[in-house]
Amino acid sequence: MSIHTHDVIIVGGGPVGLTLAASLTRFVPGIGVAVVDRRAFAVPSDGRASALAAGVTRVFGALDLWPG
């Protein structure tokens, strides 16, 4: 009996952890990725705004995440 269920476990569901998870699943077909965080995954509803650097937009574009 095997207990192996994930190839990679990412601790932290912030922007970096989620981008790494998206990258791995996009470019390594069949990889098992888990993202764990001590807080529930949610989009803040407090009206905060984020600024993204040009490099980050290129990364999101390569992952086909930018249109979303």
Side-chain angles (χ1 to χ4, degrees), residues 2-58:
S2 174
I3 59 170
H4 179 262
T5 59
H6 297 93
D7 299 303
V8 176
I9 299 173
I10 300 167
V11 178
V16 174
L18 294 177
T19 300
L20 176 58
S23 298
L24 288 170
T25 57
R26 172 84 161 88
F27 295 111
V28 185
I31 193 169
V33 177
V35 178
V36 295
D37 198 296
R38 64 181 168 186
R39 291 175 278 173
F41 293 108
V43 176
S45 60
D46 61 5
R48 286 185 282 179
S50 297
L52 297 175
V56 175
T57 61
R58 286 192 296 274

